[in-house]
Amino acid sequence: MDFQVMTFRDRRRAKYGTKAFPKIPVLFTSINEARLYWDLVIRRVFHWHTAAHPTGSTTLDYADVNCHLIPKGTTPAQKAIEELRDFQEVTEGWYQAFLPIFERTRSCPGTKDHLAASSLMLRYFSSRFKVSSESRYYHRVVELAREILETDGRSAVPGKAVFTFETMVVIGLLVVATTCPEVDVCRQAIALLSKHPRREGLLDSMMVVKIVTWMLDQEEGVVDGLIPESSRLRIVRNDFDLKERKAVLHCSKGKGNDRPLPPVTLWW
C-alpha cells in the first residue's frame, strides 16, 4: 500500500527511504524474508527516482534525472546507467536467492505459500521490463497472473470483485498492457482484469481496464500484431477518484517524448 501511495501521490512524503540497495543473501530462508528484501529494493528505486525526477512522473524511468542532485563530475546519463546496472544486479541476485523456494511451491497449487510465492515472482518479472524488452517476461507475467487468479479462492466467482491491500496482479497486468508491443498479449492482460475484478489498494482493475483499452484503441500503425514504439502511449499522470469512478489521464506519445497530450477523462 505504501508503494502505491508513493506511485500515485507525492513520493516526497514517503515515510521510509533508503540510499542504497540491500545486500541480498545467497538463499532466502522463507517467503517472508524474500518479500522483505524485495520491498527494500523497491524502496530504493522510489528513493532514487524521487530525487532524480522532480517532476513526479508516475513511471520509473532511469532517464531525465535531476542534474542538480547528481555528484560533481558525474553526468545525469552516467548516474542513470549506474543505477540501472545496480538495479539489474540486485534483482538478479534476489531471483537466484528466491528461485528454490518458488520451485518448491509449484507442487502445492492454490495454497497460501503457492499464491504468495507466485505473487512475488510476478513482481520480479514485472520489474524486468526496466532492463530488458524480451517478450518472454510479458508472457511470464500473464501466465503467473492467470495462475493466481484461477487458483485464488477469492477469485473463484467470475465478475465478483476481490478487495485486498496486497499489490499483486493488477499492477503487473497494467505494466504488460501499457508496455508490451504484442497486441494479443495486451488483450490477454485486459481480459484477465475484466474477468477477475479486483481492488488492490488504490488500484481498481476496472479502472485499469478502461484506461488501457482506451490507450490501445488510440495506438495506430499495428503491423503483424506489433505496436510500433512511435505509436505507443505512455502514462505521464493519472488523477483518479475511486468514489466517482473517474480518471483524468495525461499521456505522452512515443519513446522519449515527455510533452503531455491533452488530458482525457474516463469513467468506469
Side-chain angles (χ1 to χ4, degrees):
M1 185 68 175
D2 185 34
F3 298 133
Q4 289 194 20
V5 171
M6 287 189 282
T7 301
F8 294 106
R9 303 306 179 195
D10 190 348
R11 293 197 189 97
R12 292 170 298 180
R13 298 178 184 177
K15 196 173 181 180
Y16 308 103
T18 177
K19 295 183 178 181
F21 285 115
K23 182 176 176 58
I24 304 296
V26 176
L27 291 174
F28 293 126
T29 59
S30 68
I31 295 174
N32 284 337
E33 183 184 29
R35 181 186 294 111
L36 172 63
Y37 274 92
W38 185 257
D39 286 350
L40 290 174
V41 170
I42 300 305
R43 286 187 191 281
R44 165 58 195 170
V45 172
F46 275 111
H47 179 87
W48 178 83
H49 191 273
T50 300
H53 296 73
T55 58
S57 169
T58 59
T59 58
L60 298 178
D61 291 336
Y62 290 93
D64 303 324
V65 297
N66 185 353
C67 60
H68 299 293
L69 300 178
I70 301 301
K72 188 175 181 180
T74 303
T75 68
Q78 289 172 336
K79 185 62 178 176
I81 291 172
E82 291 173 5
E83 189 72 18
L84 179 58
R85 181 197 61 213
D86 291 345
F87 174 75
Q88 185 172 8
E89 289 179 358
V90 76
T91 53
E92 180 60 28
W94 181 94
Y95 173 77
Q96 295 299 333
F98 179 59
L99 187 58
I101 294 178
F102 175 76
E103 294 292 350
R104 286 198 298 270
T105 65
R106 299 300 89 197
S107 61
C108 48
T111 63
K112 183 177 180 180
D113 283 350
H114 173 264
L115 292 173
S118 297
S119 175
L120 271 178
M121 193 58 86
L122 185 149
R123 297 181 200 184
Y124 164 77
F125 281 118
S126 297
S127 78
R128 300 304 295 170
F129 305 142
K130 290 301 173 188
V131 297
S132 174
S133 59
E134 292 184 49
S135 61
R136 63 190 177 101
Y137 293 121
Y138 295 107
H139 290 266
R140 197 71 181 98
V141 168
V142 172
E143 290 170 2
L144 283 170
R146 182 179 291 109
E147 184 177 307
I148 292 169
L149 293 171
E150 292 181 352
T151 58
D152 184 354
R154 296 173 301 176
S155 300
V157 182
K160 184 177 181 181
V162 170
F163 295 86
T164 176
F165 284 102
E166 279 293 313
T167 305
M168 298 187 303
V169 178
V170 177
I171 187 67
L173 293 177
L174 168 62
V175 172
V176 170
T178 54
T179 60
C180 181
E182 299 178 37
V183 175
D184 181 61
V185 176
C186 295
R187 297 290 187 194
Q188 289 181 47
I190 294 172
L192 284 172
L193 290 168
S194 299
K195 183 179 180 180
H196 303 278
R198 301 170 71 86
R199 172 78 67 81
E200 294 177 354
L202 297 174
L203 273 177
D204 187 315
S205 65
M206 300 316 294
M207 172 183 71
V208 172
V209 167
K210 187 70 176 182
I211 289 173
V212 297
T213 299
W214 177 84
M215 292 174 64
L216 207 57
D217 289 342
Q218 308 306 307
E219 293 167 339
E220 304 170 339
V222 176
V223 179
D224 296 329
L226 300 177
I227 304 170
E229 191 64 49
S230 59
S231 298
R232 197 89 225 212
L233 295 185
R234 172 176 170 269
I235 298 175
V236 176
R237 194 171 82 247
N238 178 22
D239 301 320
F240 60 90
D241 188 318
L242 294 175
K243 184 177 180 180
E244 293 187 14
R245 300 173 68 86
K246 179 181 76 171
V248 180
L249 192 63
H250 303 256
C251 294
S252 62
K253 186 174 183 178
K255 188 174 182 179
N257 179 17
D258 286 328
R259 178 183 293 180
L261 301 171
V264 176
T265 300
L266 303 171
W267 286 267
W268 70 93

